[in-house]
Amino acid sequence: MTEPDARAPKTADAAGDERRPRSVYGVGSDPDVRFSLANERTALAWLRTGLGLVAGGIALTSFASFADLSVLLDVVAAVACVGGGCLAVYALVAWRRNERAMRLGRPLPPPSALPVIVVGVVTFAAVVGAYAIWSGSTR
C-alpha cells in the first residue's frame, strides 16, 4: 500500500474534512495554497479598510460633538460607518466567490464592488469639496 502524496490537492469528499464554510470547502479541490492565502490577504485588506472607515466615522462624530460643528460632519461620519460595514460584508462575499471559483477551476469573478466604491468616493469628494468652497465663501 502506498502513502498518499502530501502535496496532492485534497478533494472536497475527503474523509474527515470538517472545514467551514461547507459552501466553500465542500466543492471542488484545494487550489495552490499561495492563491488561497492571497485571496485571504485581499479579504483582510478590504476588512481593514472597512474597520478604518468605521473608526474614522466614530472619531469624526466625537470630534464634531465636542467642537459643536456642522451636521454635515455627522452625515459624513454616518456614511463612513455604513460604508465600512458594507466593505466588511463585501470582503466576506468576495472571498467566498473567489475561493469557490478557484476550487472549481473557474475564472475569478470580476470585483463587483469596485465600480460602486469608485463612484462613491468621487461623489463624496465632490460633495465635501463643494461644501468646503461654499462654507469658505460665506465667511
Side-chain angles (χ1 to χ4, degrees), residues 59-70:
L60 192 55
T61 299
S62 299
F63 178 69
S65 66
F66 288 132
D68 196 29
L69 295 175
S70 172

Side-chain angles (χ1 to χ4, degrees), residues 3-82:
E3 292 286 324
D5 186 1
R7 294 171 294 172
K10 296 179 185 174
T11 58
D13 59 343
D17 191 358
E18 297 296 324
R19 293 180 293 175
R20 301 271 188 235
R22 295 293 299 154
S23 62
V24 172
Y25 295 115
V27 299
S29 61
D30 286 347
D32 186 336
V33 69
R34 294 172 294 176
F35 300 127
S36 288
L37 292 174
N39 186 32
E40 183 179 355
R41 283 190 302 274
T42 301
L44 290 172
W46 282 106
L47 193 57
R48 275 192 309 272
T49 302
L51 184 60
L53 281 171
V54 171
I58 292 169
L60 192 55
T61 299
S62 299
F63 178 69
S65 66
F66 288 132
D68 196 29
L69 295 175
S70 172
V71 174
L72 179 65
L73 287 180
D74 286 331
V75 172
V76 169
V79 168
C81 287
V82 169

Side-chain angles (χ1 to χ4, degrees), residues 72-133:
L72 179 65
L73 287 180
D74 286 331
V75 172
V76 169
V79 168
C81 287
V82 169
C86 289
L87 277 180
V89 170
Y90 174 73
L92 178 62
V93 169
W95 172 82
R96 290 173 76 113
R97 287 185 330 155
N98 292 339
E99 194 68 26
R100 281 181 60 89
M102 287 188 297
R103 293 181 68 79
L104 295 171
R106 296 181 182 155
L108 293 178
S112 57
L114 197 54
V116 174
I117 293 170
V118 169
V119 168
V121 167
V122 169
T123 303
F124 179 73
V127 168
V128 171
Y131 175 75
I133 291 170

